[in-house]
């Protein structure tokens, strides 16, 4: 697949996802309307839509009906967005910029930002149960998504990250932290895309997602060192300032770059059973691990 074909498919996927997100966020004019404004501010702030794209493309690879997958894909983007709103709060990372714009709490205040994050998480489960309940393996997928975003997934990883601030941690702890904080919902996005398509053996997809998640995080760590604020839309060098252990601080830039290649290769190898059906995901992997923002 050429880079142009990849970008065209990505744009098409994102347009479909954005259209569905807008439908799910329709509301009446009522007294609580300001919370919808705060939710939409972050939800439509220009994210990559990586997790819903991975879900829908894994579904396509497995022969799924995208219309059945969309409620879950949109829910995953809402869960991801809620986590970013909360991550940016003064009690967490205390960031002023996200995707080149003021963070939610800077725009609307801390109280509204907390509630906007909570509301997006709740809206995600509303959508999955209301619109996606008839899909194949729907209940199992909802359970996987709940676990991946909870104490044994994203939230658990965030807790370990907070407890590790200002401390030196080893490579195994760092991998465990990011397998939960970043990797868990990437894995559940891919696995649920396959599962909702009727794929019962999701082991290969899971191995793909596990390795992609690690490669993606290492690339994030690299960009925090070599990127610019204009490219990334957020402050750079924050990991070093906060004395956080990253793949770069632990292993050095060259070794980190070698690991990105190794994990991305393992991710692509895992999709060999799908043959040509995996072409888009193979190209997307290369695109993500070589990205500049």
């Amino acid at each position: 697949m050429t880079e142009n074909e990849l970008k065209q498919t990505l744009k098409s996927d994102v347009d479909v996802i954005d259209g569905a997100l807008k439908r799910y966020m329709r509301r009446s004019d009522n007294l609580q309307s300001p919370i919808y404004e705060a939710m939409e501010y972050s939800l439509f702030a220009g994210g990559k839509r990586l997790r819903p794209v991975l879900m829908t493309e894994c579904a396509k690879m497995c022969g799924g009906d995208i219309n059945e997958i969309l409620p879950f894909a949109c829910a995953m983007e809402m869960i991801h967005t809620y986590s970013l709103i909360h991550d940016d709060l003064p009690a967490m990372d205390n960031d002023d910029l996200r995707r080149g714009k003021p963070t939610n709490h800077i725009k609307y205040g801390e109280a509204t930002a907390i509630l906007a994050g909570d509301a997006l998480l709740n809206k995600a489960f509303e959508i999955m149960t209301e619109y996606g309940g008839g899909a194949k393996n729907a209940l199992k997928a909802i359970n996987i998504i709940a676990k991946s975003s909870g104490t044994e997934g994203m939230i658990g990883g965030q807790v370990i990250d907070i407890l590790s601030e200002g401390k030196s941690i080893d490579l195994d702890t760092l991998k465990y932290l990011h397998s939960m904080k970043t990797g868990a919902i990437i894995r559940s996005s891919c696995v649920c895309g396959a599962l909702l398509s009727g794929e019962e053996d999701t082991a290969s997809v899971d191995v793909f997602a596990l390795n992609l998640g690690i490669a993606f995080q290492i690339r994030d760590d690299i960009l925090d060192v070599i990127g610019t604020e204009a490219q990334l839309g957020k402050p750079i060098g924050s990991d070093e300032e906060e004395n956080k252990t990253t793949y770069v601080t632990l292993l050095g830039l060259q070794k980190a770059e070698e690991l990105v290649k190794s994990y991305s290769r393992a991710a692509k190898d895992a999709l060999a059973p799908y043959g040509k059906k995996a072409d888009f995901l193979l190209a997307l992997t290369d695109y993500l691990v070589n990205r500049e923002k």
Side-chain angles (χ1 to χ4, degrees):
M1 177 174 283
T2 67
E3 184 176 345
N4 189 49
E5 289 172 333
L6 172 73
K7 289 183 176 179
Q8 285 180 345
T9 304
L10 263 177
K11 183 180 184 307
S12 176
D13 285 351
V14 170
D15 286 346
V16 170
I17 290 159
D18 280 350
L21 283 168
K22 287 172 183 174
R23 290 194 298 273
Y24 291 136
M25 290 297 293
R26 284 178 184 159
R27 63 186 192 276
S28 302
D29 186 17
N30 51 34
L31 292 176
Q32 66 266 33
S33 288
I35 194 64
Y36 283 95
E37 182 185 336
M39 293 162 70
E40 290 171 347
Y41 176 79
S42 293
L43 190 59
F44 297 107
K48 299 181 187 72
R49 307 299 193 217
L50 172 60
R51 290 144 194 87
V53 165
L54 283 170
M55 187 181 287
T56 56
E57 287 296 336
C58 283
K60 287 180 189 177
M61 182 177 70
C62 297
D65 180 352
I66 300 308
N67 290 323
E68 289 190 350
I69 311 302
L70 269 177
F72 299 88
C74 290
M76 188 59 78
E77 185 66 10
M78 289 181 182
I79 291 169
H80 174 58
T81 303
Y82 117 75
S83 75
L84 299 182
I85 293 173
H86 283 190
D87 275 358
D88 289 336
L89 289 166
M92 305 280 270
D93 291 346
N94 195 23
D95 284 328
D96 293 341
L97 280 179
R98 169 72 65 178
R99 296 167 178 163
K101 297 179 179 181
T103 48
N104 201 289
H105 69 275
I106 295 294
K107 177 80 172 176
Y108 296 102
E110 286 184 51
T112 297
I114 291 168
L115 291 171
D118 292 345
L120 283 166
L121 176 60
N122 279 276
K123 181 65 73 174
F125 284 92
E126 284 180 33
I127 289 167
M128 287 189 287
T129 53
E130 184 175 356
Y131 297 100
K136 302 180 189 76
N137 297 316
L139 186 58
K140 188 174 182 180
I142 293 168
N143 180 257
I144 290 171
I145 291 169
K147 286 181 177 178
S148 72
S149 57
T151 53
E152 297 304 310
M154 182 178 64
I155 290 174
Q158 182 66 48
V159 169
I160 298 168
D161 194 22
I162 291 169
L163 295 175
S164 300
E165 284 182 8
K167 299 176 184 176
S168 179
I169 60 176
D170 60 25
L171 184 58
D172 286 342
T173 303
L174 184 65
K175 285 174 67 176
Y176 181 67
L177 185 167
H178 287 303
S179 72
M180 298 175 74
K181 181 180 176 182
T182 306
I185 64 171
I186 288 177
R187 286 178 75 181
S188 65
S189 295
C190 295
V191 168
C192 288
L195 188 67
L196 290 161
S197 302
E199 187 82 75
E200 298 300 336
D201 183 2
T202 59
S204 294
V205 174
D206 190 37
V207 173
F208 160 73
L210 171 64
N211 285 283
L212 176 63
I214 297 171
F216 184 82
Q217 180 59 53
I218 300 172
R219 184 62 183 166
D220 253 9
D221 288 354
I222 291 171
L223 289 174
D224 192 66
V225 175
I226 68 170
T228 67
E229 186 172 309
Q231 286 176 314
L232 303 180
K234 61 181 180 180
I236 61 164
S238 57
D239 292 335
E240 184 177 2
E241 287 177 13
E242 295 168 13
N243 198 26
K244 280 189 175 183
T245 300
T246 70
Y247 284 94
V248 176
T249 62
L250 201 57
L251 302 171
L253 192 58
Q254 183 177 341
K255 180 62 176 176
E257 288 174 339
E258 289 172 5
L259 278 179
V260 169
K261 293 177 183 177
S262 176
Y263 280 111
S264 62
R265 188 163 50 248
K268 292 191 290 184
D269 287 348
L271 295 182
Y274 292 94
K276 295 290 290 180
K277 293 178 182 177
D279 279 358
F280 175 83
L281 290 171
L282 297 176
L284 181 63
T285 299
D286 288 334
Y287 177 76
L288 290 173
V289 299
N290 292 300
R291 73 191 190 282
E292 298 299 325
K293 59 181 180 178

